[in-house]
Amino acid sequence: MGTVGRAYRPPHRSRRDRARPGLSANELVTVASGIPRHRGETAITLGNRYAAFHVARLDPGRAVLVPEAPFGHIFLARGSVVFEGTADGQATLSAGDAVRTTSTGGHRITAVTPSEVLIWEMHASTN
């Protein structure tokens, strides 16, 4: 037996949400941050003003740049990408692979297959 009710309405999206295409647009999206320059732009505010968490869903051939930071951690959750800027020039990463960076940024990550990339940007150390 079915239920009688109102027609489905998609969840409300703010003007800011509509203006920012988000993860389906092949761009790096800042999901969580405590860095002052991201204030009011992220879904989650971190209690650490030196860190930010970024996510990108990339179609094959599309690329993003790793943010400039003293420390970084890149994790490939799904797919296969080419990571440019290694000592050997570039490396191919597969799902589950990770890269740590120090005193760098601007590395290009280009998807070979549909991919999901997670990036931590960190501006302070524990020392």
Side-chain angles (χ1 to χ4, degrees), residues 3 18-19 34 36-38 47 53 55 57 65 84 127:
T3 59
R18 289 189 297 270
R37 74 173 180 271
H38 296 141
F53 180 66
V55 177
R57 286 188 180 150
L65 296 178
E84 298 176 16
N127 299 0

Side-chain angles (χ1 to χ4, degrees), residues 9-43:
R9 288 186 183 173
H12 171 73
R13 294 176 62 202
S14 71
R15 186 177 335 182
R16 188 176 87 192
D17 290 340
R18 289 189 297 270
R20 297 186 69 214
L23 294 177
S24 63
N26 293 296
E27 64 183 35
L28 199 59
V29 175
T30 307
V31 176
S33 180
I35 298 174
R37 74 173 180 271
H38 296 141
R39 188 168 285 127
E41 298 177 2
T42 61

Side-chain angles (χ1 to χ4, degrees), residues 41-55:
E41 298 177 2
T42 61
I44 300 168
T45 300
L46 299 177
N48 181 335
R49 67 185 193 108
Y50 301 106
F53 180 66
H54 310 275
V55 177

Side-chain angles (χ1 to χ4, degrees), residues 105-127:
H107 299 285
R108 180 176 301 278
I109 298 173
T110 305
V112 176
T113 64
S115 301
E116 293 180 6
V117 182
L118 312 176
I119 300 174
W120 276 104
E121 168 189 357
M122 297 167 277
H123 292 273
S125 71
T126 57
N127 299 0

Side-chain angles (χ1 to χ4, degrees), residues 71-119:
F71 305 97
H73 182 83
I74 297 96
F75 178 77
L76 188 61
R78 179 174 69 98
S80 177
V81 301
V82 173
F83 182 84
E84 298 176 16
T86 66
D88 297 329
Q90 65 183 28
T92 301
L93 306 178
S94 299
D97 287 344
V99 175
R100 288 187 198 173
T101 60
T102 55
S103 301
T104 62
H107 299 285
R108 180 176 301 278
I109 298 173
T110 305
V112 176
T113 64
S115 301
E116 293 180 6
V117 182
L118 312 176
I119 300 174

